[in-house]
């Protein structure tokens, strides 16, 4: 212990050891001490020396410290010292090293610290960084060391978990890719780190956020794992708990981690959207009326929140994912909230600029969002559209440069794939829609286009070019715009005014930044007349334009003017390619001849290539947002770079083509146009036919439904008619009875005569049916007699006599039933004849009879008897039908009985044959046994004579053997006995 007192600050006699010697002795003590307290004190001493003697501790003690982590897992205090020491030698952050003080340090370490407090120069800092990377490489040479560190993070003890988190963060800072690979393959490695966010101690949770930031940098696989470990839910909860945008540095760390997880990771972006986390972002942007005095931390937090929204709708994402996120942001009210910030007062300039950029990408290419943005009004008196207010800022040279760039980007995104918005902007320039009492977007663009500020010229030209992008209708409409240049002079077209400004070089020189203005106007003209032959004709109609372009291209100017020459060559090439040859002096062929004479084809193509070779061209072609370090470098627009890439090759080919080739191409174009026209006509015809077919299908379906309704109506009406008929018949009968009671004899007699005739016909038909039934009954009787005789014959020799008896009983029952039915039919016949006789007698007595009441009574009785007779007849028909069915069943039963009898007879014959054979075999066997018995008896006598004893088992007699044959089926048993 005296040694440790000397190291920790005690005064010892004699010379003091050097730092390297002290560290060597401490390492030896750590390696050789058997007591845990001695090792703990040695590690604590190494920790106190690790900042001053970083190199020595790192080179000599690292292996011993790692061994402590592996062997002394039970003591959290020594683990904490070892982890702190490793962190001190690996970490390169001087500020964190200064804040790192857990225990009281020795005077040596304190003095050493004060000696090294001054900030190192760049070389010293570079050496320190290299030292940290070197020690990190040593530590991760064995991946098990990182796995061991991940295991130690599961310890809940603060003195182990916190230094472990900081050490792993330092390792990731120094060698992120290698450490990420080790953690990725470690079982449950990422899950252990995600548990840090759930720690109740804020220090560990906050450092866990820093650790996850380093872990998720540029590693999509780890980003996905972290996201699916419920990271979004936990981070959003922390942001809400910390106060959202009003929160502190913890909110900033959470937002940075969210940006790492979502940026350039389509899988996590989709998971974020599908998890309805976009809706939880809306409360972040709720600002009050008083927006003064924002803290720096709130500005930082809100800036990161806006960047998070932009990551979800970035133009570099897939179009489908971007459109889906834009739709969600509109539906949940996030876009409305952003527009509220956009129009609020007192918002800091950098937040306002970032909000404009965010709104731009939320509405870009989304028709619904663009329409909503067009309807937003600024809270002014009178209210003005937000677009107009933003354009006022864009053309105002006193506004910050980044804000003007953001407004231009917002206007471009508003018009991107929005033909409706393009038409509204161009309409504000037309004479019929200009309102002198209000400021419109068109007036602001024209004012900026012809102002003295070159940046305003460029922004207005690019904005107006976006209003014409891929919209032939608006290009033609813009040709109608007329401008009043000065009093007393006639108005000139907008196209003519742009070319006039280009040709007035002396005025532009006095403005200073002439290149930026001319580039903006040339980009506007190229966009305007491309793919619009009418605009090309208007441009060529001015006799000064072509000579000006050829003069600009043919001159040998400086480096700054090369870009203008290239754009002039592009404009002249567009005039050739989209020329419809309507002007005789400026046909395609004459323009190419002019280029060949004045400029030269090779020189023209070389000047045209200056555009794409410019350094700012490639920068503008990378992304749609106009981001420039300074206003002077603001020369190219992203959409214009696409147009140049599309037209450069076509113009080069058009210039080099001969007249014959052009004629051939014209013929081919005409043929193709004719073909396209024919195809278009057929397409229109097919569309019309499809529409007609669809209409006919709808008519058929409607007619089918009407038919079903009519069918239902008809069915109902038929049932109603039948009911009415029944009611009518009932009423008719009632009326007939009433007439009979009133004594209308003649009408009654006539009715009776008709009814009697009908009765006679029905009786005749019944008589025929009765005759037919009698013949059928006779046939059944004959069949039954035949079956009885056959069954009686079969029953004598059949083994299945009981079944035949049952069948005979069933046949007898059927016969009795038929006889009873025949008796009933005879009775019915007698009654029918009696009824007929009475009806004939009644008809003969009806004329001379004068007693109407007696006849009515007879007729009533007759009708009742007739109804009863009809009922009996129907019943008889039914019974006859059932009799015929019974006959068919009997025939089937008879057939089955016949087949059964035949089978039984065959079996009986077989059995009789077998019995005869069995009897014959039995007789033969008896004879054999008799002979055998005689032989046995003679042999027994001989044995007795010889004096031998005879066993009882051999004394079987013939009578005993023969007694076992009581029946033919025991023959086999006797045979076995005989064989024995």
């Amino acid at each position: 212990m005296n040694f440790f007192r000397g190291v920790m600050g005690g005064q010892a006699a004699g010379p003091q050891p050097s730092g390297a010697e002290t560290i060597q002795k401490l390492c030896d003590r750590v390696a050789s001490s058997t007591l845990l307290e001695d090792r703990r004190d040695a590690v604590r001493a190494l920790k106190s020396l690790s900042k001053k003697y970083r190199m020595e501790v790192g080179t000599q003690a690292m292996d011993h410290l790692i061994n402590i982590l592996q062997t002394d897992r039970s003591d959290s205090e020594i683990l904490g010292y070892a982890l702190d020491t490793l962190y001190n030698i690996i970490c390169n952050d001087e500020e964190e090293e200064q804040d790192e003080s857990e225990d009281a340090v020795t005077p040596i370490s304190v003095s050493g610290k004060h000696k090294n407090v001054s900030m190192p120069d760049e070389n010293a800092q570079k050496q320190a960084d290299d030292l940290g990377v070197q020690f990190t490489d040593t530590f991760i040479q064995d991946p098990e060391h990182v796995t061991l560190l991940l295991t130690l993070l599961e310890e809940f003890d603060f003195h182990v978990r916190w230094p472990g988190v900081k050490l792993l963060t330092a390792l990731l800072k120094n060698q992120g890719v290698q450490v990420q690979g080790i953690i990725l393959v470690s079982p449950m490695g990422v899950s252990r780190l995600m548990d840090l966010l759930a720690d109740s101690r804020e220090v560990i949770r906050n450092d866990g956020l820093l650790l996850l930031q380093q872990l998720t940098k540029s590693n999509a696989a780890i980003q996905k794992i972290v996201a699916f470990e419920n990271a979004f839910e936990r981070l959003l909860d922390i942001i809400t708990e910390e106060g959202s945008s009003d929160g502190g540095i913890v909110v900033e760390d959470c937002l940075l981690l969210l940006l790492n997880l979502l940026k350039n990771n389509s899988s996590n972006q989709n998971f974020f959207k599908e998890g309805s986390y976009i809706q939880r972002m809306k409360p972040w942007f709720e600002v009050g009326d008083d927006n003064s005095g924002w803290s720096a931390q709130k500005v930082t937090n809100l800036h990161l929140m806006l960047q998070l929204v932009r990551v979800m709708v970035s133009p570099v994402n897939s179009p489908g994912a971007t459109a889906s996120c834009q739709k969600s942001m509109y539906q949940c009210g996030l876009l409305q909230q952003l527009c509220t910030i956009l129009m609020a007062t007192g918002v800091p300039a950098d937040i306002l600029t970032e909000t404009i950029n965010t709104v731009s990408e939320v509405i870009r290419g989304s028709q619904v969002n663009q329409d909503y943005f067009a309807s937003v009004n600024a809270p002014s008196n009178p209210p003005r559209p937000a677009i107009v207010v933003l354009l006022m800022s864009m053309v105002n040279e006193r506004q910050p440069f980044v804000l003007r760039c953001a407004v231009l980007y917002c206007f471009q995104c508003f018009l991107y794939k929005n033909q409706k918005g393009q038409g509204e902007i161009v309409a504000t320039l037309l004479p019929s829609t200009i309102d002198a009492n209000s400021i419109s977007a068109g007036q602001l663009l024209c004012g900026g286009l012809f102002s003295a500020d070159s940046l305003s010229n460029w922004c207005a030209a690019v904005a107006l070019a976006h209003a014409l992008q891929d919209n032939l209708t608006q290009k033609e409409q813009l040709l109608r715009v007329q401008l009043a240049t000065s009093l007393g002079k006639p108005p000139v077209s907008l196209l003519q005014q742009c070319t006039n400004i280009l040709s007035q070089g002396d005025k532009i020189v006095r403005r200073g930044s002439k290149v930026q203005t001319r580039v903006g106007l040339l980009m506007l003209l190229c966009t305007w007349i491309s793919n619009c032959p009418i605009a090309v004709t208007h441009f060529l109609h001015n006799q000064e334009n072509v000579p000006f372009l050829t003069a600009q291209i043919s001159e040998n100017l400086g480096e700054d003017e090369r870009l203008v020459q290239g754009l002039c060559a592009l404009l002249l090439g567009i005039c050739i390619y989209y020329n419809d040859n309507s002007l005789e002096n400026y046909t395609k062929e004459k323009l190419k001849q002019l280029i060949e004479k004045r400029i030269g084809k090779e020189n023209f193509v070389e000047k045209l290539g200056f555009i794409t070779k410019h350094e700012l061209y490639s920068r503008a072609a990378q992304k749609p947002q106009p981001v420039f370090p300074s206003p002077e470098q603001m020369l190219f627009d992203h959409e214009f770079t696409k147009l140049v890439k599309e037209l450069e090759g076509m113009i080069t080919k058009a210039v080099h083509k001969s007249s014959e080739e052009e004629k051939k191409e014209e013929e081919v174009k005409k043929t193709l146009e004719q073909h396209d026209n024919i195809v278009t006509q057929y397409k229109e015809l097919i569309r019309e036919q499809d529409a007609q077919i669809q209409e006919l299908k709808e008519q058929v379906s409607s007619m089918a439904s009407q038919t079903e309704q009519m069918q239902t109506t008809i069915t109902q009406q038929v049932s109603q008619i039948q009911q009415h008929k029944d009611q009518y018949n009932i009423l008719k009968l009632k009326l007939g009875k009433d007439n009979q009671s009133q004594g209308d004899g003649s009408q009654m007699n006539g009715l009776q005569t008709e009814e009697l005739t009908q009765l006679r016909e029905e009786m005749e038909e019944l008589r025929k049916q009765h005759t037919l039934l009698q013949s059928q009954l006779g046939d059944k009787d004959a069949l039954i007699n035949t079956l009885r005789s056959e069954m009686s014959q079969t029953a004598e020799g059949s083994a299945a006599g009981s079944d035949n008896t049952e069948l005979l009983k069933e046949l007898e029952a059927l016969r009795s039933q038929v006889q009873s039915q025949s008796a009933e039919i005879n009775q019915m016949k007698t009654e029918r004849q009696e009824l007929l006789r009475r009806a004939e007698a009644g008809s003969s007595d009806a004329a001379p009879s004068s007693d109407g009441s007696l006849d009515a009574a007879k007729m009533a009785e007759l009708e009742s008897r007739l109804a009863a007779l009809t009922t009996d007849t129907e019943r008889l028909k039914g019974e006859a039908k059932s009799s015929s069915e019974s006959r068919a069943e009997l025939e089937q039963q008879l057939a089955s009985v016949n087949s059964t009898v035949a089978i039984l007879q065959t079996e009986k014959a077989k059995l009789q044959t077998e019995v005869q054979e069995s009897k014959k075999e039995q007789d033969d066997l008896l004879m054999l046994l008799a002979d055998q018995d005689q032989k046995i008896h003679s042999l027994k006598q001989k044995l007795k004579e010889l004096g031998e004893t005879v066993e009882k088992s051999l004394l079987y007699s013939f009578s005993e053997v023969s007694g076992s044959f009581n029946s033919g089926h025991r023959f086999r048993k006797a045979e076995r006995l005989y064989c024995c």
Side-chain angles (χ1 to χ4, degrees):
M1 297 300 294
N2 292 330
F3 170 76
F4 287 112
R5 291 192 187 96
V7 172
M8 301 302 292
Q11 298 297 326
Q16 295 292 327
S18 64
E21 293 175 351
T22 303
I23 293 169
Q24 181 63 43
K25 291 179 180 179
L26 290 173
C27 292
D28 294 339
R29 178 70 63 172
V30 171
S32 60
S33 295
T34 57
L35 294 177
L36 179 61
E37 293 181 357
D38 293 345
R39 293 198 302 275
R40 185 190 304 130
D41 293 337
V43 174
R44 182 167 59 242
L46 287 173
K47 174 191 170 185
S48 64
L49 297 172
S50 60
K51 294 180 180 179
K52 180 180 179 180
Y53 300 103
R54 183 181 178 189
M55 171 69 78
E56 291 79 3
V57 174
T59 54
Q60 298 182 38
M62 180 175 287
D63 293 336
H64 301 293
L65 294 172
I66 294 173
N67 188 49
I68 290 292
L69 297 179
Q70 293 172 342
T71 57
D72 292 329
R73 294 282 298 276
S74 60
D75 186 70
S76 59
E77 189 174 359
I78 192 173
L79 288 178
Y81 292 148
L83 290 171
D84 282 332
T85 307
L86 288 171
Y87 173 72
N88 289 338
I89 63 177
I90 288 176
C91 180
N92 294 321
D93 194 344
E94 291 294 330
E95 293 181 1
E96 290 186 7
E97 289 180 7
Q98 291 176 11
D99 294 338
E100 186 78 15
S101 61
E102 191 77 21
D103 304 316
V105 295
T106 62
I108 294 176
S109 62
V110 170
S111 61
K113 184 68 177 179
H114 282 298
K115 290 179 183 178
N116 292 280
V117 144
S118 60
M119 293 297 292
D121 57 9
E122 293 183 1
N123 293 331
Q125 183 63 37
K126 185 177 180 181
Q127 291 177 359
D129 293 344
D130 293 341
L131 194 60
V133 173
Q134 178 183 352
F135 288 141
T136 301
D137 290 336
T138 304
F139 185 85
I140 65 174
Q141 277 182 355
D142 188 358
E144 292 297 326
H145 296 164
V146 180
T147 306
L148 174 63
L149 186 56
L150 292 173
T151 306
L152 292 175
L153 291 179
E154 294 181 347
E155 296 288 339
F156 187 74
D157 191 284
F158 180 82
H159 298 288
V160 177
R161 201 171 204 185
W162 187 38
V165 171
K166 294 191 295 181
L167 176 58
L168 187 56
T169 305
L171 292 173
L172 285 166
K173 285 182 179 179
N174 293 334
Q175 291 291 353
V177 177
Q178 290 85 342
V179 179
Q180 283 174 345
I182 297 171
I183 295 175
L184 190 60
V185 300
S186 177
M188 300 296 292
V190 179
S191 300
R192 293 172 182 172
L193 301 180
M194 286 299 300
D195 292 339
L196 298 174
L197 298 182
D199 200 303
S200 59
R201 294 160 294 192
E202 291 189 1
V203 176
I204 295 179
R205 184 199 67 183
N206 298 342
D207 282 347
L209 289 171
L210 299 176
L211 169 61
L212 290 172
Q213 285 180 24
Q214 298 296 327
L215 180 66
T216 55
K217 279 185 178 179
S218 305
N219 193 310
I222 294 180
Q223 290 169 2
K224 291 179 182 178
I225 296 173
V226 171
F228 283 97
E229 288 284 345
N230 205 21
F232 294 139
E233 185 75 26
R234 297 184 186 182
L235 293 174
L236 293 175
D237 289 342
I238 294 173
I239 291 173
T240 305
E241 292 171 3
E242 295 291 329
S244 297
S245 60
D246 294 323
I249 189 69
V250 178
V251 174
E252 179 183 350
D253 292 336
C254 291
L255 292 171
L256 289 172
L257 179 55
L258 284 172
L259 285 172
N260 281 354
L261 295 176
L262 292 173
K263 195 170 184 179
N264 299 325
N265 193 318
S266 58
S267 175
N268 284 1
Q269 290 173 6
N270 185 60
F271 181 64
F272 190 84
K273 179 185 70 67
E274 295 296 335
S276 300
Y277 297 119
I278 291 178
Q279 288 80 344
R280 296 186 60 177
M281 298 166 67
K282 180 188 173 184
W284 296 351
F285 305 102
E286 293 178 355
V287 295
D289 297 332
D290 185 13
N291 295 312
S292 59
W294 284 22
S295 64
Q297 187 61 55
K298 182 174 182 179
V299 172
T300 302
N301 291 344
L302 202 56
H303 195 274
L304 291 173
M305 290 172 178
L306 292 169
Q307 286 186 357
L308 194 61
V309 176
R310 292 185 64 185
V311 165
M312 298 299 296
V313 293
S314 175
V316 300
N317 298 342
S318 64
T322 300
S324 179
C325 292
Q326 289 172 336
K327 181 179 179 181
S328 299
M329 291 178 182
Y330 174 76
Q331 291 176 346
C332 73
L334 180 58
L335 175 60
Q336 293 85 330
Q337 203 67 44
L338 292 173
C339 291
T340 302
I341 299 177
L342 198 64
M343 296 292 106
T345 57
V347 179
D350 51 350
I351 294 298
L352 181 60
T353 302
E354 189 64 22
T355 304
I356 294 173
N357 289 327
T358 305
V359 171
S360 305
E361 295 183 351
V362 172
I363 67 173
R364 188 176 188 269
S366 174
Q367 187 65 51
V368 176
N369 295 4
Q370 289 167 342
D371 292 342
Y372 171 77
F373 182 72
S375 66
V376 175
N377 289 323
S380 59
N381 191 15
R384 291 175 178 171
I387 298 174
V388 174
V389 176
L390 292 175
L391 288 177
M392 291 172 68
S393 301
M394 186 185 73
V395 298
N396 188 351
E397 57 183 315
R398 289 177 294 182
Q399 293 292 338
F401 172 65
V402 291
L403 179 63
R404 298 174 74 180
C405 291
V407 173
L408 175 61
Y409 183 47
C410 184
F411 191 74
Q412 292 173 352
C413 292
F414 170 68
L415 298 178
Y416 182 72
K417 294 183 178 180
N418 183 10
Q419 294 192 355
K420 179 182 176 183
Q422 290 175 329
E424 292 173 354
I425 297 298
V426 173
T428 59
L429 290 166
L430 299 178
S432 58
T433 58
I434 293 178
D435 186 4
N437 297 324
S438 63
I439 300 176
S440 65
Q443 293 174 3
L444 291 171
L445 290 176
C446 284
L449 191 63
F450 306 124
S451 69
D453 180 29
S454 60
L455 184 59
S456 297
N457 301 152
W458 190 92
C459 291
V462 171
L464 197 55
H466 277 264
L468 307 175
Q469 194 75 37
D470 299 327
N471 196 327
L472 181 60
T473 303
Q474 302 310 322
K475 291 178 181 179
E476 296 175 357
Q477 288 291 322
L478 199 63
L479 295 172
R480 297 169 49 201
V481 176
Q482 299 290 322
L483 302 176
T485 56
S486 61
L487 293 175
K489 291 186 178 181
V492 297
S493 66
L494 177 61
L495 181 65
Q496 182 62 43
Q497 184 65 15
C498 292
T499 56
N500 290 341
I501 293 175
L502 279 175
S503 61
Q504 294 172 0
D506 54 344
K507 295 182 180 180
I508 297 176
V509 169
R510 290 196 294 270
R511 294 178 185 173
S513 300
K514 60 177 183 177
V515 174
Q516 192 174 38
T517 301
R518 298 175 75 185
V519 167
L521 290 173
L522 285 169
M523 287 196 298
L524 172 60
L525 291 173
C526 290
T527 305
W528 191 348
I529 71 173
S530 65
N531 200 21
C532 184
I534 297 176
V536 172
T537 302
H538 278 71
F539 180 80
L540 295 176
H541 191 72
N542 188 347
Q543 302 294 328
E544 298 177 359
N545 290 339
V546 174
F548 167 74
L549 293 178
T550 54
Q552 288 289 318
I553 300 169
S554 59
E555 289 182 2
N556 293 322
L557 302 175
E559 293 291 334
D560 295 338
E561 294 292 334
R562 282 190 174 184
L563 179 59
V564 176
Q565 286 183 317
L567 292 173
C568 289
L570 179 66
L571 184 60
L572 186 57
I574 292 173
C575 292
I576 295 173
Y577 189 78
Y578 292 106
N579 196 336
D580 59 358
N581 297 325
S582 59
L583 294 177
E584 185 178 355
N585 294 331
Y586 294 109
T587 61
K588 287 185 178 182
E589 188 62 30
K590 289 185 177 180
L591 288 175
K592 287 195 292 185
Q593 291 176 1
L594 183 64
I595 289 174
E596 189 172 1
K597 292 178 181 179
R598 298 281 182 88
I599 305 171
K601 291 183 179 180
E602 299 299 330
N603 191 23
F604 177 85
V605 173
E606 182 182 359
K607 297 293 177 66
L608 182 63
F610 285 163
I611 302 174
T612 55
K613 293 177 182 178
H614 200 280
E615 59 179 354
L616 297 178
Y617 174 88
S618 57
R619 182 183 299 176
Q622 291 176 359
K623 55 182 179 179
Q625 183 182 1
V627 180
F628 303 97
S630 63
E632 293 77 16
Q633 296 185 5
M634 202 169 183
L635 292 178
F636 284 105
D637 173 58
H638 178 75
E639 293 297 328
F640 181 74
T641 59
K642 293 182 180 179
L643 181 65
V644 172
K645 186 177 180 180
E646 178 185 353
L647 293 177
E648 184 180 9
M650 296 190 297
I651 291 173
T652 304
K653 291 180 181 178
V655 170
H656 285 93
K657 282 179 184 176
S658 61
S659 59
E660 295 180 356
E661 291 178 350
E662 285 206 354
K663 288 180 181 179
K664 291 181 180 179
E665 281 195 0
E666 289 293 334
E667 292 177 358
V668 171
K669 284 183 179 179
K670 290 180 180 179
T671 306
L672 292 174
E673 288 177 358
Q674 293 176 357
H675 178 72
D676 292 340
N677 292 333
I678 294 172
V679 171
T680 304
Q681 292 176 1
Y682 277 115
K683 285 182 178 179
E684 292 177 355
L685 179 62
I686 290 171
R687 290 193 191 98
E688 293 176 358
Q689 291 177 351
D690 288 340
Q692 292 176 0
I693 291 171
Q694 188 64 29
E695 185 178 356
L696 291 173
K697 286 182 178 179
E698 293 176 356
Q699 292 179 1
V700 168
S701 60
S702 62
M703 291 175 68
S705 60
Q706 292 176 3
T707 303
E708 292 178 357
Q709 293 177 358
M710 292 175 66
Q711 194 69 30
T712 306
T713 306
I714 290 170
T715 305
Q716 294 175 356
Q717 291 178 354
V718 167
S719 62
Q720 291 177 1
I721 290 170
Q722 187 63 35
Q723 291 176 1
H724 291 320
K725 283 183 179 181
D726 296 339
Q727 293 175 2
Y728 172 74
N729 292 330
I730 293 170
L731 291 173
K732 185 177 179 181
L733 291 174
K734 288 182 179 179
L735 287 174
K737 291 181 180 179
D738 292 340
N739 291 334
Q740 289 174 4
S741 63
Q742 291 176 2
D744 190 0
S746 60
Q747 185 176 2
M748 182 184 66
N749 293 334
L751 180 62
Q752 289 175 355
T753 306
E754 293 176 357
E755 290 177 351
L756 287 173
T757 304
Q758 293 179 357
L759 286 173
R760 287 193 185 95
E761 292 176 355
E762 290 178 358
M763 288 179 183
E764 185 66 27
E765 185 177 355
L766 289 173
R767 188 181 292 111
K768 292 179 180 178
Q769 291 180 358
H770 178 67
T771 305
L772 179 61
L773 289 173
Q774 281 185 340
S775 63
Q776 290 178 355
L777 287 174
D779 295 339
K780 286 184 179 180
D781 289 339
L783 179 61
I784 289 169
N785 292 328
T786 306
L787 288 172
R788 181 179 293 174
S789 60
E790 290 179 354
M791 290 302 297
S792 61
Q793 293 175 2
T794 305
E796 295 176 355
S798 174
S802 60
D803 295 338
N804 295 337
T805 304
E806 292 177 0
L807 290 173
L808 289 173
K809 289 180 180 179
E810 290 179 1
L811 289 173
E812 192 65 31
L814 289 171
R815 180 174 177 78
S816 62
Q817 185 179 358
V818 170
Q819 287 177 356
S820 64
Q821 290 177 355
S822 177
E824 290 177 1
I825 291 171
N826 291 330
Q827 184 180 359
M828 290 295 299
K829 178 180 177 183
T830 305
E831 291 177 358
R832 190 178 295 107
Q833 289 178 354
E834 181 65 22
L835 183 60
L836 182 61
R837 185 181 60 79
R838 290 181 181 180
E840 290 176 353
S843 63
S844 62
D845 296 339
S849 175
S850 61
D851 191 357
S853 61
L854 182 61
D855 291 339
K858 289 182 179 180
M859 284 303 298
E861 182 182 1
L862 186 61
E863 288 176 356
S864 62
R865 293 294 300 276
L866 181 60
L869 183 61
T870 305
T871 303
D872 293 340
T873 304
E874 293 295 331
R875 182 175 61 80
L876 189 60
K877 289 180 179 179
E879 291 176 354
K881 184 177 181 181
S882 62
S883 299
S884 61
E885 292 175 355
S886 301
R887 177 185 174 186
E889 291 177 359
L890 286 172
E891 289 177 352
Q892 292 179 356
Q893 292 178 2
L894 180 60
S896 63
V897 168
N898 290 333
S899 60
T900 303
V901 169
I903 292 169
L904 290 174
Q905 288 179 351
T906 305
E907 291 180 354
K908 179 182 177 182
K910 289 182 179 179
L911 288 173
Q912 289 176 353
T913 306
E914 289 178 357
V915 168
Q916 294 295 331
E917 291 178 353
S918 179
K919 287 180 179 180
K920 185 177 180 181
E921 290 177 356
Q922 186 177 3
D923 294 338
D924 294 339
L925 184 58
L926 290 173
M927 293 177 66
L928 290 172
L929 288 174
D931 295 339
Q932 189 68 24
D933 189 37
Q934 292 293 332
K935 291 180 181 179
I936 290 171
H937 185 69
S938 61
L939 290 172
K940 184 173 64 175
Q941 292 295 332
K942 290 180 179 180
L943 287 172
K944 287 181 179 181
E945 292 176 356
L946 294 174
E948 295 292 334
T949 304
V950 181
E951 295 180 359
K952 292 183 179 180
S953 60
L954 298 175
L955 299 179
Y956 283 100
S957 62
F958 171 75
S959 59
E960 292 174 346
V961 175
S962 62
S964 64
F965 292 93
N966 294 324
S967 61
H969 68 275
R970 296 183 179 179
F971 168 71
R972 297 298 178 187
K973 183 177 179 182
E975 187 176 4
R976 286 197 298 271
L977 181 61
Y978 170 73
C979 294
C980 292

